[in-house]
Amino acid sequence: MFLKQILAGDRGGQTLLALLAVITVLVPILNLAVPEGSPLHLSTYTLTLTGKYLTYALLAVAVDLVWGYLGILSLGHAAFFALGGYAMGMYLMRQIGDRGVYGNPDLPDFMVFLDWQELPWFWYGFDQFWFAALMVMLVPGLVAFAFGWFAFRSRVTGVYLSIITQALTYALMLAFFRNEMGFGGNNGLTDFKEILGFNLQADTTRVALFVASAVALGLGYVACRAIVTSRLGRVSLAIRDAEARTRFIGYRVEHVKLAIFTFSAVLAGIAGALYVPQVGIINPGEFSPLNSIELVIWVAVGGRATLYGAVVGAILVNYAKTTFTGIMPEAWLFALGGLFVVVTLFLPRGVTGLLRRKEASA
Amino acid sequence: MIKRVFYLFATLLLLAGAPLPVSAADGFEQAIVQLTERSFRTKETAIVSIAESGDERALPLLKRLLDGDVRYLRYARTVVYAEKAEGGYRITEVLTGEELGIKDRREAKRVVINNALRSVLRRQIASLSLNSDAPALRLAAVREMSGGLDDETASALEARQQVESNATIREAIDTALALRDLESEDKALRLAAIERLHGSLEPVATLRLHDLAEGEASAEVKQAAQNALKAIAFNRDLSGFGETLFFGLSLGSVLVLAAIGLAITFGVMGVINMAHGELIMLGAYTTYVVQQLMPNHIGLSILVSIPAAFLISALAGIAIERGVIRHLYGRPLETLLATFGISLILQQTVRTIFSPLNRSVATPEFMSGALEINSALTLTYNRLYVFAFCLLVFAALLFILKKTPLGLQVRAVSQNRAMARAMGVRSEWVDALTFGLGSGVAGVAGVALSQLTNVGPNLGQAYIIDSFMVVVFGGVGNLWGTLVAGLSLGVANKVLEPWSGAVLAKILVLAFIILFIQKRPRGLFPQKGRAAEG
Amino acid sequence: MNLFQDTLSMPREVMRRDRVFDFMIPADNPRLDISHNTILYLEDVSVSFDGFKAINDLNLYIDAGELRCIIGPNGAGKTTMMDIITGKTRPDTGTVYFGQRIDLLTLSEPEIANQGIGRKFQKPTVFENQSVLCNLELSMAGDKRVWPTFTARLSGEQRDRIGEVLESIGLTTERDLRAGALSHGQKQWLEIGMLLMQNPKLLLVDEPVAGMTHQEMDRTAELLRSLAGERSVVVVEHDMDFVRSIANRVTVLHQGSVLAEGSMEQVQNDPRVVEVYLGGDAC
């Protein structure tokens, strides 16, 4: 009933959710049940790659929520993604236990290497999965809340806001590169062994992570869709289009922005937490401003303010990236750069906008 | 009558004086031959007469003699310079400078010297350099003698001090003499010496004074030495502060240079150009290419690079404006994305053409070296030049915007596009030119940066966020704000650095700006009036 | 220097002994009290931009239920005055009270709006990407905090209210149209409709008939007249015919202060007003 209501008129979303439902059932079967030699077998590599794309897609949905519907071009969403990733990475580090290179049961390898004597206080609690899971949402949420609290209250908007979000992720990147921060410095966190007691290399774990990503994407999509179709969603559109007017009819623009921005950061954090166990590493490079801006272009390619467009864009661009960097790595940056220009100049509604127009004219 | 006598006298003098150089040269030549004698005493006389001959070949000869590079041909007894080469020594005649090919070590015998001769040599070299025409040589000579003066060198120094015109050298001589006096038996002399070393920044002085403050018997002298040390510590702190300030201003000038083009494109036109950093990079690469084209004129190549970089970056900027930005006016966020794409393309282009490795650009002679204020504070010339250059660029831009017709039109268009257009300003043309100007300045900034860092494809990225911060911090649309913001951020960075480390300093500054923008969204020097309200 | 003092004054302000933190103040705002039959007080208000005095010692009182027109040449400070009332601009000096008790200078824009002051801008600003219905729904009076907004659903009563307003602004047939697709005059009406949905006690209307045809103008006049009585309406307008057709009292602003006040006839015959409007040279 609820689903029907919020998905009414959203054909893209309906298709997306149906597809997600199909692959959550099909993919485990194709990977686990179909024998390796069979043409129908899905390799674990492809499975993990697709799982990675799904986390990207969730991140893109989070960005579309603030950019498409609220008009905030955040160039710092990769930072929330990375923060969530780090929270999960810290849990996975603790799971290594004494199986690290130095075999120290109390300290992660990099701390032994740096000659640290005891675990820093901010690592406490990450032995527990529930604590890490909480932090995955809390840390990006709190950072976004604190940042947004200042930014929105002083009415920093438009390009200025974009630039200070970029400065935020830049500052975080510099900070995480420092060994003294206690997050593994340059190398980040890696060499993970298991999650919740399951071997991370095992196919079944991989499949489970894939399914978790698909489910998270589906839930995230529905949550965003619920916001967008509510009156709050209409207020956020109103803010995007005429912020001052919205204020004069009595809405606390700052509060609306803060709520949606924080929610979006939490989504990004969850995406990051699902990403890390699948790729097996998290390092400060994830904070790089380039990443944030690249994921904005995923949304632009897919078509902003549609939500499902963000999913399409994220998967398209990342598929292209994987293919391109495989055959001719130098060309990828040309292609990506060109994509930025072409999409903004000629495809303001993205790929899905193009499809919709075709459909309308047909 | 008197005049005539004078002429006569002068002529006589000339006649008498004319053979002098000849005889000096003769003395040099004769003395040289004496170097081949076996007796050390003969060699010593030879060395002294060589030093006193006044011949310009004397100083290099003595120096190389000290280094052990002087040999003589066994039979001809010709004194030669020898350079180790395959199969023996490559030898050059001292007197004529003629190359005589390669001889083995039996043919070219070494002019043997002992320790006594070495000290004679050093003294002679010092006093020769002490009287040389080049101040740098004289200063080096004084420094070398300082701390180990015997009576002879001391008197040479005292003599020199009478005629020395260069203040720095006089001071150095003074320090050297005072250091000698510290060793003196006479208490009054020691006290006077301490007085003279009060606040001196020579490391030797600190060392000696420290010895005195610790081990001196006389309490009075001890106290004086301690006071002098305090003054030294204060002076050192002052110099340290000066150095921090200098590095801060230097970093600040780089920031201003990088940001000032942006202050035009972003501040005046409201166009957000994420490819600005890459335009800086283009300027730096232009410098590199120009230098490759004229490898023998490094100094000139820098001067040529400035207009070249301006042109190339300006053209690139105009191309970007005409090709992309023009279609996106009024859509700042899209402009941001599109120009970011362009920056990726430019980076990759450079990577493809020049390889992803860093290139180094040579520094011309007039920019290398350092200005030595005192021994604790030296300002490198390249940074000084870049600072001056930054001010120059700033002044030029200010002039263009305030005093030229183009500037007037730019300001008109930025304030009220529709009205300016109605007044007959070709706003499209003005846009392109303004953007070209801002981009060209970025290119010029690249020339300056190439003198301070390596030139690589990521050069621009390193500066883009900082540049935006400077512009926003200074107040958008305000050139003076950009100058003040850039310099103060540079100084703040360097002041924080020793306290917190470079990375943390940068983070602190970024965090400060983020908070600052929230507090004052329009920067240090906001544009005022109703127009700014929109 | 200024910045330095700013930073110093902040902790000083926080540490003040008699300071009452915002969150300690009881949340229930004083209800609008119009027992003296005056809904808006502006007293000794001055504001300057960059040395230019936009409002200079302005004193203005609006009665409850009154329809007041404010006229004045360009730069007289009409729009700035509205900015001050709605919280967009803070005056340098002076007091602004809504009724007897509500100090508008301490409230933010949304708070002022929720107290019952609605504003229509000079340039019609409606939410162009949303339907006429949505525009009205958004501006409806009610709990406008984040969570209630998220869970809000239209009740039947509210639907009826929207229907009424649609009727009175004559946009019933356009209710599902995108607001951006409306004509200029329709947008003006929609904006007035949005004001009505807020159910304000005081309506500030900035140049409602700019760019309207004569017919549209007449309808607007009728609409505004019908609004007065139940609420107070302040109209800023240039068009003299329009002002004459609706106003019983007119205030003339000049150089940021009140030059004359009275009925249209009185004002028109005031020699000072004539001079201001026709210019000193013409006389």
Side-chain angles (χ1 to χ4, degrees):
Chain A
M1 175 60 211
F2 169 70
L3 260 185
K4 203 169 170 188
Q5 195 184 331
I6 63 167
L7 288 178
D10 179 24
R11 278 191 51 196
Q14 290 162 6
T15 322
L16 174 75
L17 288 180
L19 262 177
L20 279 176
V22 168
I23 60 170
T24 38
V25 176
L26 215 55
V27 162
I29 297 175
L30 288 183
N31 178 250
L32 297 174
V34 176
E36 201 135 326
S38 156
L40 282 176
H41 176 79
L42 187 77
S43 74
T44 308
Y45 170 77
T46 316
L47 173 94
T48 306
L49 194 66
T50 321
K52 195 175 91 172
Y53 290 168
L54 291 183
T55 63
Y56 282 151
L58 180 56
L59 175 61
V61 168
V63 170
D64 194 22
L65 182 65
V66 289
W67 184 35
Y69 290 91
L70 200 51
I72 297 174
L73 176 55
S74 164
L75 297 183
H77 253 59
F80 305 128
F81 181 78
L83 284 174
Y86 263 96
M88 178 54 89
M90 284 161 81
Y91 164 73
L92 295 173
M93 278 316 257
R94 299 305 293 149
Q95 291 299 297
I96 297 175
D98 58 1
R99 284 167 291 174
V101 178
Y102 296 102
N104 187 323
D106 299 325
L107 292 181
D109 274 351
F110 72 90
M111 290 191 196
V112 182
F113 180 74
L114 289 174
D115 209 17
W116 288 21
Q117 296 311 319
E118 55 182 57
L119 203 63
W121 59 268
F122 46 82
W123 277 73
Y124 294 166
F126 278 95
D127 299 275
Q128 308 294 328
F129 182 77
W130 65 265
F131 183 82
L134 197 65
M135 286 301 135
V136 158
M137 294 185 264
L138 219 54
V139 172
L142 279 180
V143 171
F145 186 85
F147 178 82
W149 172 262
F150 284 114
F152 302 141
R153 233 167 48 116
S154 44
R155 299 193 185 169
V156 182
T157 54
V159 175
Y160 288 85
L161 190 66
S162 303
I163 289 172
I164 62 170
T165 52
Q166 191 176 20
L168 171 83
T169 183
Y170 185 58
L172 280 172
M173 178 178 76
L174 292 179
F176 273 76
F177 264 123
R178 283 159 47 90
N179 281 329
E180 295 87 334
M181 278 288 284
F183 295 110
N186 213 347
N187 301 320
L189 310 175
T190 186
D191 282 338
F192 308 134
K193 308 282 186 228
E194 53 189 37
I195 180 167
L196 288 168
F198 297 104
N199 183 359
L200 269 175
Q201 306 307 321
D203 283 357
T204 42
T205 320
R206 296 265 163 166
V207 167
L209 284 169
F210 174 85
V211 171
S213 307
V215 170
L217 175 59
L219 289 179
Y221 185 85
V222 170
C224 289
R225 186 72 202 166
I227 292 180
V228 166
T229 49
S230 75
R231 189 182 292 167
L232 188 64
R234 267 164 278 157
V235 173
S236 89
L237 278 185
I239 292 173
R240 181 190 76 184
D241 295 337
E243 182 170 334
R245 191 81 193 89
T246 317
R247 220 171 246 133
F248 283 117
I249 56 176
Y251 289 99
R252 301 282 193 100
V253 168
E254 307 81 54
H255 294 188
V256 176
K257 282 184 173 176
L258 193 57
I260 296 183
F261 188 68
T262 307
F263 177 73
S264 158
V266 171
L267 275 190
I270 294 173
L274 287 165
Y275 168 83
V276 167
Q278 301 194 61
V279 297
I281 184 170
I282 174 84
N283 61 27
E286 295 293 334
F287 283 105
S288 114
L290 177 64
N291 283 15
S292 289
I293 210 163
E294 204 181 307
L295 71 93
V296 168
I297 210 65
W298 305 342
V299 178
V301 166
R304 53 186 280 221
T306 56
L307 291 181
Y308 63 87
V311 177
V312 173
I315 293 175
L316 265 186
V317 176
N318 279 295
Y319 180 70
K321 185 178 187 174
T322 313
T323 322
F324 257 104
T325 44
I327 30 181
M328 35 186 198
E330 320 82 51
W332 168 242
L333 275 184
F334 280 126
L336 184 64
L339 202 57
F340 273 96
V341 179
V342 169
V343 167
T344 46
L345 280 187
F346 305 112
L347 273 182
R349 290 156 165 280
V351 182
T352 56
L354 212 61
L355 291 177
R356 264 175 292 156
R357 202 164 52 194
K358 274 227 177 95
E359 207 170 87
S361 64
Chain B
M1 185 67 199
I2 296 169
K3 227 180 195 173
R4 198 170 279 180
V5 172
F6 176 73
Y7 275 123
L8 187 70
F9 203 73
T11 320
L12 279 175
L13 260 177
L14 264 181
L15 280 176
L20 255 175
V22 178
S23 73
D26 280 353
F28 182 73
E29 278 167 26
Q30 279 161 13
I32 269 192
V33 180
Q34 286 179 335
L35 285 180
T36 62
E37 300 281 336
R38 185 163 284 177
S39 149
F40 285 122
R41 183 157 301 165
T42 320
K43 281 186 203 168
E44 187 181 332
T45 0
I47 288 169
V48 172
S49 32
I50 286 173
E52 285 169 356
S53 70
D55 195 287
E56 59 187 11
R57 289 165 295 185
L59 189 57
L61 174 60
L62 294 184
K63 279 188 174 161
R64 298 199 65 171
L65 188 54
L66 187 63
D67 293 342
D69 286 344
V70 175
R71 291 179 173 260
Y72 63 94
L73 298 182
R74 198 166 172 191
Y75 302 108
R77 301 233 147 201
T78 324
V79 180
V80 294
Y81 293 135
E83 237 178 294
K84 208 144 174 67
E86 218 171 306
Y89 296 92
R90 173 174 297 117
I91 57 176
T92 320
E93 198 176 340
V94 172
L95 285 176
T96 57
E98 195 182 334
E99 287 212 23
L100 298 176
I102 293 185
K103 296 274 157 68
D104 68 19
R105 68 193 173 91
R106 264 177 310 162
E107 280 174 287
K109 292 192 74 110
R110 202 149 85 97
V111 176
V112 184
I113 52 175
N114 62 4
N115 280 340
L117 274 186
R118 280 198 189 94
S119 68
V120 171
L121 271 173
R122 277 201 199 97
R123 204 176 317 137
Q124 291 302 337
I125 289 171
S127 77
L128 261 183
S129 352
L130 210 51
N131 294 317
S132 111
D133 285 334
L137 272 182
R138 295 207 296 272
L139 189 61
V142 175
R143 289 261 158 85
E144 192 166 326
M145 287 186 229
S146 183
L149 290 189
D150 51 26
D151 291 344
E152 215 168 313
T153 39
S155 61
L157 278 182
E158 273 160 1
R160 184 65 218 176
Q161 195 172 26
Q162 302 301 315
V163 291
E164 180 58 59
S165 55
N166 185 311
T168 323
I169 298 176
R170 269 214 305 278
E171 218 169 279
I173 294 177
D174 207 40
T175 311
L177 293 174
L179 280 172
R180 182 198 56 174
D181 287 351
L182 279 186
E183 313 285 307
S184 141
E185 300 288 311
D186 187 351
K187 197 171 104 183
L189 214 53
R190 289 209 299 275
L191 278 175
I194 291 176
E195 188 56 36
R196 270 150 73 198
L197 290 176
H198 200 86
S200 158
L201 286 171
E202 294 292 334
V204 196
T206 319
L207 214 65
R208 292 283 165 83
L209 282 172
H210 208 74
D211 290 346
L212 273 188
E214 302 268 290
E216 169 70 31
S218 151
E220 195 184 347
V221 177
K222 210 168 179 171
Q223 186 58 42
Q226 276 162 0
N227 286 344
L229 277 176
K230 261 183 216 149
I232 289 177
F234 174 74
N235 274 2
R236 191 148 297 207
D237 285 350
L238 204 66
S239 300
F241 176 72
E243 196 171 33
T244 311
L245 195 70
F246 172 67
F247 277 123
L249 285 177
S250 166
L251 175 66
S253 63
V254 170
L255 287 179
V256 171
L257 272 174
I260 198 144
L262 205 63
I264 294 176
T265 51
F266 179 45
V268 179
M269 294 175 73
V271 167
I272 184 143
N273 179 15
M274 296 298 277
H276 186 78
E278 277 60 38
L279 293 170
I280 297 177
M281 175 197 74
L282 277 189
Y285 271 100
T286 308
T287 318
Y288 170 73
V289 170
V290 169
Q291 209 162 70
Q292 296 302 305
L293 292 178
M294 39 200 302
N296 298 324
H297 306 87
I298 304 276
L300 190 63
S301 80
I302 294 289
L303 295 181
V304 174
S305 305
I306 294 174
F310 182 89
L311 268 182
I312 288 190
S313 290
L315 287 178
I318 290 176
I320 294 173
E321 203 273 339
R322 289 286 86 185
V324 177
I325 293 174
R326 180 165 62 112
H327 307 290
L328 296 170
Y329 276 124
R331 290 157 66 193
L333 298 181
E334 276 85 348
T335 314
L336 190 156
L337 292 177
T339 49
F340 186 81
I342 293 170
S343 86
L344 290 183
I345 294 175
L346 283 176
Q347 270 177 42
Q348 192 55 38
T349 311
V350 164
R351 232 174 252 139
T352 312
I353 298 177
F354 295 97
S355 102
L357 300 177
N358 279 350
R359 301 282 168 197
S360 82
V361 172
T363 305
E365 204 130 299
F366 64 91
M367 281 177 73
S368 43
L371 177 67
E372 195 172 319
I373 306 286
N374 57 43
S375 55
L377 178 59
T378 48
L379 314 179
T380 48
Y381 279 124
N382 58 352
R383 290 186 179 275
L384 278 177
Y385 270 102
V386 168
F387 185 71
F389 185 62
C390 159
L391 294 182
L392 202 70
V393 169
F394 178 77
L397 272 184
L398 211 57
F399 176 80
I400 291 176
L401 283 183
K402 297 269 150 134
K403 300 279 182 210
T404 62
L406 173 67
L408 183 67
Q409 297 191 346
V410 169
R411 280 178 294 143
V413 170
S414 79
Q415 276 163 26
N416 191 335
R417 176 172 298 266
M419 194 60 191
R421 205 178 257 176
M423 304 285 287
V425 176
R426 290 162 61 196
S427 69
E428 297 236 321
W429 183 77
V430 171
D431 283 338
L433 278 190
T434 317
F435 203 83
L437 179 66
S439 309
V441 171
V444 169
V447 179
L449 276 181
S450 74
Q451 292 304 309
L452 300 178
T453 61
N454 281 328
V455 178
N458 295 331
L459 178 78
Q461 272 197 320
Y463 286 96
I464 185 72
I465 292 184
D466 287 340
S467 312
F468 271 115
M469 290 294 133
V470 168
V471 175
V472 171
F473 182 50
V476 171
N478 188 324
L479 282 190
W480 283 103
T482 306
L483 183 72
V484 173
L487 292 182
S488 48
L489 286 185
V491 172
N493 233 319
K494 289 294 169 186
V495 168
L496 285 176
E497 239 171 55
W499 176 69
S500 65
V503 176
L504 203 57
K506 212 170 158 68
I507 297 172
L508 284 175
V509 169
L510 273 181
F512 165 74
I513 298 177
I514 292 178
L515 286 177
F516 179 86
I517 296 175
Q518 327 240 324
K519 182 93 187 138
R520 290 182 67 152
R522 292 186 194 283
L524 277 178
F525 303 99
Q527 271 187 328
K528 291 176 186 155
R530 283 167 79 163
E533 288 289 312
Chain C
M1 202 57 224
N2 219 337
L3 183 70
F4 179 65
Q5 276 167 357
D6 277 2
T7 30
L8 260 189
S9 71
M10 211 169 65
R12 214 178 271 158
E13 185 65 18
V14 171
M15 306 299 283
R16 224 176 53 208
R17 258 172 45 156
D18 59 337
R19 181 180 167 90
V20 179
F21 287 93
D22 293 343
F23 61 85
M24 302 283 289
I25 300 171
D28 63 330
N29 283 310
R31 304 293 299 272
L32 179 62
D33 172 6
I34 45 174
S35 52
H36 289 71
N37 209 29
T38 301
I39 196 167
L40 184 73
Y41 298 81
L42 274 87
E43 288 177 340
D44 307 325
V45 174
S46 293
V47 66
S48 57
F49 300 117
D50 240 347
F52 166 72
K53 282 221 162 189
I55 297 285
N56 190 9
D57 231 358
L58 176 70
N59 286 287
L60 184 74
Y61 306 92
I62 307 290
D63 291 342
E66 157 181 45
L67 172 60
R68 175 78 64 93
C69 278
I70 294 182
I71 60 172
N74 277 329
K78 301 180 303 266
T79 302
T80 311
M81 184 198 75
M82 291 216 171
D83 285 347
I84 289 174
I85 298 171
T86 50
K88 191 177 175 205
T89 304
R90 297 285 176 204
D92 301 334
T93 57
T95 52
V96 182
Y97 270 85
F98 186 42
Q100 297 299 311
R101 294 218 297 263
I102 303 171
D103 182 1
L104 291 181
L105 297 185
T106 59
L107 301 180
S108 69
E109 292 127 300
E111 281 166 341
I112 292 175
N114 288 331
Q115 287 294 340
I117 297 184
R119 177 176 185 185
K120 197 200 96 44
F121 284 86
Q122 197 165 338
K123 205 175 128 225
T125 38
V126 294
F127 305 120
E128 308 224 338
N129 285 317
Q130 306 196 40
S131 70
V132 171
L133 185 75
C134 279
N135 269 280
L136 293 178
E137 183 192 338
L138 283 181
S139 31
M140 189 164 50
D143 195 340
K144 288 182 172 162
R145 285 172 304 171
V146 175
W147 187 254
T149 312
F150 178 54
T151 53
R153 296 284 176 276
L154 274 182
S155 68
E157 205 176 315
Q158 287 169 326
R159 264 176 221 285
D160 292 346
R161 171 79 188 127
I162 293 178
E164 273 169 41
V165 171
L166 277 173
E167 190 92 14
S168 64
I169 56 174
L171 290 175
T172 313
T173 45
E174 285 88 359
R175 56 172 270 173
D176 291 321
L177 221 58
R178 218 167 55 88
L182 296 178
S183 76
H184 182 81
Q186 285 174 322
K187 280 185 195 164
Q188 298 268 34
W189 286 331
L190 175 56
E191 211 181 350
I192 294 173
M194 288 163 72
L195 282 184
L196 292 179
M197 290 303 300
Q198 284 183 52
N199 201 14
K201 307 288 184 307
L202 173 65
L203 263 160
L204 304 174
V205 188
D206 203 349
E207 303 203 12
V209 295
M212 279 191 181
T213 63
H214 267 283
Q215 277 167 317
E216 288 173 327
M217 236 191 248
D218 291 343
R219 282 199 55 186
T220 310
E222 200 180 314
L223 188 60
L224 287 176
R225 266 199 308 267
S226 72
L227 291 177
E230 203 178 319
R231 41 196 130 230
S232 314
V233 182
V234 177
V235 180
V236 166
E237 189 47 74
H238 272 302
D239 190 309
M240 286 303 161
D241 290 334
F242 180 74
V243 171
R244 193 173 296 120
S245 70
I246 60 168
N248 30 26
R249 272 180 80 193
V250 176
T251 301
V252 184
L253 284 193
H254 179 54
Q255 292 179 349
S257 46
V258 174
L259 185 70
E261 202 167 282
S263 72
M264 191 66 189
E265 245 154 273
Q266 284 172 326
V267 165
Q268 263 179 325
N269 295 326
D270 191 319
R272 287 173 307 172
V273 176
V274 173
E275 190 181 320
V276 165
Y277 263 87
L278 298 177
D281 303 332
C283 300

